[in-house]
Amino acid sequence: MGPIMIYFDNNATTAVDPEVLKVMLPYFTEKYWNASSLYEPATELAQDLQKARQTTARVLGAALPSEILFTSCATESNNAALFGVARANPGRRHIITTKVEHPAILEVVKELMRQGYEVSWLNVDRNGNLDLGQYVRALRPGGTLLVSVMHANNETGVVFPIERLARIAKETDPKIVFHTDATQTVTKLPINLTGNFRNVDLLSFSGHKIHAPKGVGALFVRQGTPVRTFLLGGHQEKGRRGGTENIPYIIGLAKAMELGEAAGEEERTRVAALRDRLQAGLAERIPWLEINGKDADRTPNTLNVACHSVEGESIIMMLSEAGVYASSGSACTSGSLDPSHVLVAMGVPSGALQGNVRFSLSRYSTDEEVSTVLDVFPRVIDQLRRLSPFWDKVNQKPAE
């Protein structure tokens, strides 16, 4: 029997579903044509591309397949959305976003600040919930260009009330463009762009969070939304994104969308039960443990904990040695020694900031894996605390 391998880092990336891989493979071999060419096999490929666009639009509840723009990832989608809106609306110079966005939003907004845009940064409380009063006060009729608020936070899983935020923005001024980064929620939470998300103008997501491969994503652009082309160089995607389409990966993305839709509420409920069991078990076994976002609405698969008097990198290394793979903060920022900007914004106690771990489950996660983590993780924390100068070994609490 080989070593255990428990993968609880699905907010960073997911395994490609075997059914996704199966539908992709022919497009690497016998269907390798360029979809823009005019001979018959290529035009058949263009029809396959259109079917993938129709599937993606249908799962998202978009009114038109043409509202789906295929990209390389959510980071590109976010860049295309924010820079594209700014270029298309030069008369407005005010942006609203949150302090807990993914770096793919934060860094774009900071770049727009360097170009002279004014930004209102929304706060969150200890549970990670937005200050709705601050949001309403920040909106400027005739002045606000863009609101960009993620659907759910990648580190904590805390879900923001996008339906309500987008409606308030449109009631304040219909010309305010509303964007949401839904990378952590597509196929995991209900999204209907002609239903509950009907006031959302732009929505970004990535394939590798939903069991499609890395290297493909999409941007929903509601018809009539003023957005300038971000990536120039060709007529592809109706002139909105230059570059030969990545057909195998787009086909895989559409299949992953179908599979996620089919999994539905039953699978979300099962995964949420695993997450809740993990949360309750760790809280029972580990003293001085912060459960971040505990009392907020969260994605069903995400648990973020912060352990007092220990350091996250050491936790992750010891978990890895035991065959348990999790993360400390966001995979896109984990190379930094700075504490998570999300947890800082939430007001996590300073003694626990460096000791945070994110467990993110998937449809492949099992009850047996949760049991193993409940055995391994408390032993790791106990061992590290026995070595920590910041832990009072006698009284079993943080050293004063």
Side-chain angles (χ1 to χ4, degrees), residues 176-220:
I176 295 174
V177 177
F178 194 98
H179 167 260
T180 188
D181 180 347
T183 303
Q184 296 295 343
T185 57
V186 164
T187 75
K188 298 174 188 174
L189 293 179
I191 293 175
N192 187 329
L193 288 160
T194 51
N196 63 330
F197 273 33
R198 61 187 174 276
N199 290 308
V200 171
D201 300 301
L202 301 162
L203 181 144
S204 309
F205 69 99
S206 197
H208 73 105
K209 312 292 188 180
I210 60 170
H211 303 285
K214 303 168 191 68
V216 65
L219 174 64
F220 162 79

Side-chain angles (χ1 to χ4, degrees), residues 93-360:
R93 311 283 290 182
H94 177 238
I95 297 168
I96 299 173
T97 191
T98 80
K99 292 182 178 179
V100 297
E101 295 295 311
H102 188 277
I105 294 294
L106 292 178
E107 295 305 319
V108 175
V109 172
K110 290 175 183 177
E111 176 59 27
L112 290 169
M113 286 180 69
R114 289 188 282 271
Q115 297 176 19
Y117 286 80
E118 184 182 355
V119 179
S120 295
W121 299 94
L122 302 180
N123 298 316
V124 295
D125 63 17
R126 180 63 187 87
N127 279 307
N129 290 316
L130 282 178
D131 183 336
L132 291 179
Q134 183 192 16
Y135 171 67
V136 172
R137 292 189 297 272
L139 291 165
R140 302 177 187 174
T144 298
L145 162 69
L146 171 73
V147 176
S148 182
V149 177
M150 62 190 352
H151 189 193
N153 187 265
N154 50 298
E155 293 191 32
T156 64
V158 172
V159 178
F160 292 145
I162 295 302
E163 177 179 355
R164 184 177 180 187
L165 298 175
R167 176 180 55 78
I168 292 171
K170 293 300 182 182
E171 288 175 352
T172 301
D173 180 352
K175 291 187 177 181
I176 295 174
V177 177
F178 194 98
H179 167 260
T180 188
D181 180 347
T183 303
Q184 296 295 343
T185 57
V186 164
T187 75
K188 298 174 188 174
L189 293 179
I191 293 175
N192 187 329
L193 288 160
T194 51
N196 63 330
F197 273 33
R198 61 187 174 276
N199 290 308
V200 171
D201 300 301
L202 301 162
L203 181 144
S204 309
F205 69 99
S206 197
H208 73 105
K209 312 292 188 180
I210 60 170
H211 303 285
K214 303 168 191 68
V216 65
L219 174 64
F220 162 79
V221 183
R222 191 174 299 280
Q223 188 176 45
T225 303
V227 184
R228 287 281 298 277
T229 298
F230 175 67
L231 192 59
L232 301 171
H235 65 278
Q236 295 89 355
E237 300 295 285
K238 295 192 173 180
R240 298 174 299 172
R241 197 263 190 188
T244 302
E245 297 93 347
N246 189 355
I247 300 294
Y249 285 56
I250 291 170
I251 297 296
L253 174 63
K255 183 63 176 180
M257 297 286 286
E258 283 187 327
L259 293 172
E261 179 187 43
E265 188 62 34
E266 181 178 350
E267 187 63 22
R268 288 194 285 268
T269 300
R270 187 190 72 84
V271 172
L274 292 178
R275 188 273 310 276
D276 291 346
R277 178 173 169 246
L278 179 62
Q279 175 178 308
L282 294 181
E284 180 183 340
R285 291 165 172 80
I286 302 173
W288 291 89
L289 179 77
E290 305 282 340
I291 298 170
N292 299 312
K294 176 177 64 173
D295 296 320
D297 182 20
R298 284 176 292 164
T299 49
N301 74 317
T302 306
L303 171 62
N304 185 298
V305 298
C307 306
H308 285 258
S309 307
V310 289
E311 194 271 322
E313 187 174 354
S314 299
I315 301 172
I316 298 305
M317 290 176 64
M318 291 187 67
L319 285 175
S320 179
E321 290 172 0
V324 176
Y325 304 141
S327 66
S328 181
S330 164
C332 299
T333 57
S334 59
S336 170
L337 294 177
D338 294 331
S340 158
H341 70 284
V342 174
L343 300 189
V344 170
M346 290 172 66
V348 172
S350 58
L353 268 176
Q354 296 287 359
N356 79 293
V357 176
R358 179 188 68 187
F359 296 104
S360 45

Side-chain angles (χ1 to χ4, degrees), residues 63-82:
L64 301 167
S66 60
E67 294 177 321
I68 302 300
L69 175 66
F70 290 117
T71 66
S72 64
C73 59
T75 295
E76 183 194 331
S77 297
N78 288 334
N79 275 257
L82 272 60

